[in-house]
Amino acid sequence: MEIADLARIVDSARRSAFRLETLPQYLVPQEAEEFAEWRAGRGEMATPSSSPWLAHVAERVASGVRWYRVHVLDQPLSDYSRYEIWGYRANQAAGEEIYLADREADLEDVRDDFWLVDDETAVRMIYDHEGRFVRPELTEDVGPYLEMRASALRHSEPLDDYIARRNLRLTA
């Protein structure tokens, strides 16, 4: 499966697009400059007018598709995780529902990253041990992914609640 296939699957969502993230860092070339700017204290929050991705999310949400994610976090938070939480506020402003969960909250076995579209199609996101994306992989059975999503949601809390309860400092 190619990345373009994944994009088509996610874009085909009629009811929902769910993303589970489980890594402490994602080495994404498109984010390298923004991450460096954030670490230097010069990060600027993206908006749907400045980010094609956020514009796409806002458009999909406005069309009635529930767009949501859970990130299962390891403690202590890595710099990348704090950067990502900082950036999630832009996704939330675009209409995406963001939930965060600590791995120690009974989520030790939740280690697969994936997209779940309309509760019918699951695509595993395969990364190397450092967090570099390798490939998407269409799965045969969505059952385990429905269960992982349910567990992650059960142990998560909304972005703003997570930030406030932990009094997170989201600067470098």
Side-chain angles (χ1 to χ4, degrees):
M1 165 175 225
E2 300 296 324
I3 196 73
D5 300 319
L6 171 65
R8 277 192 294 281
I9 289 169
V10 173
D11 285 344
S12 74
R14 297 175 316 281
R15 295 179 310 280
S16 64
F18 173 80
R19 175 77 164 98
L20 183 69
E21 296 176 305
T22 64
L23 299 178
Q25 82 173 1
Y26 294 88
L27 298 177
V28 181
Q30 309 88 284
E31 290 181 345
E33 186 177 328
E34 182 179 289
F35 182 44
E37 289 293 309
W38 176 84
R39 289 183 91 179
R42 298 186 301 267
E44 290 187 30
M45 190 65 61
T47 66
S49 61
S50 69
S51 163
W53 174 251
L54 292 178
H56 179 71
V57 170
E59 177 184 296
R60 298 296 290 150
V61 170
S63 75
V65 176
R66 182 182 185 201
W67 205 274
Y68 63 127
R69 81 176 62 217
V70 173
H71 193 144
V72 177
L73 298 162
D74 293 299
Q75 297 294 332
L77 294 174
S78 67
D79 277 354
Y80 183 87
S81 291
R82 287 188 307 107
Y83 156 74
E84 200 161 50
I85 293 168
W86 171 81
Y88 284 152
R89 294 175 304 159
N91 291 57
Q92 182 175 264
E96 183 175 354
E97 299 170 38
I98 308 292
Y99 300 93
L100 303 175
D102 289 322
R103 185 169 312 283
E104 65 234 16
D106 208 24
L107 293 169
E108 279 302 320
D109 294 336
V110 178
R111 300 271 179 192
D112 280 353
D113 276 49
F114 61 89
W115 280 95
L116 185 59
V117 176
D118 293 332
D119 296 348
E120 298 168 356
T121 305
V123 179
R124 287 186 60 219
M125 304 295 285
I126 310 299
Y127 294 88
D128 70 14
H129 66 281
E130 293 181 8
R132 284 186 206 81
F133 182 66
V134 176
R135 71 184 181 284
E137 184 178 279
L138 188 62
T139 66
E140 296 286 323
D141 180 10
V142 299
Y145 300 94
L146 293 167
E147 290 173 18
M148 280 187 274
R149 179 190 62 191
S151 181
L153 283 168
R154 190 171 42 257
H155 294 291
S156 69
E157 60 189 305
L159 174 68
D160 292 339
D161 294 349
Y162 188 94
I163 291 170
R165 189 163 63 80
R166 287 164 182 78
N167 196 26
L168 286 183
R169 183 179 64 96
L170 298 177
T171 55

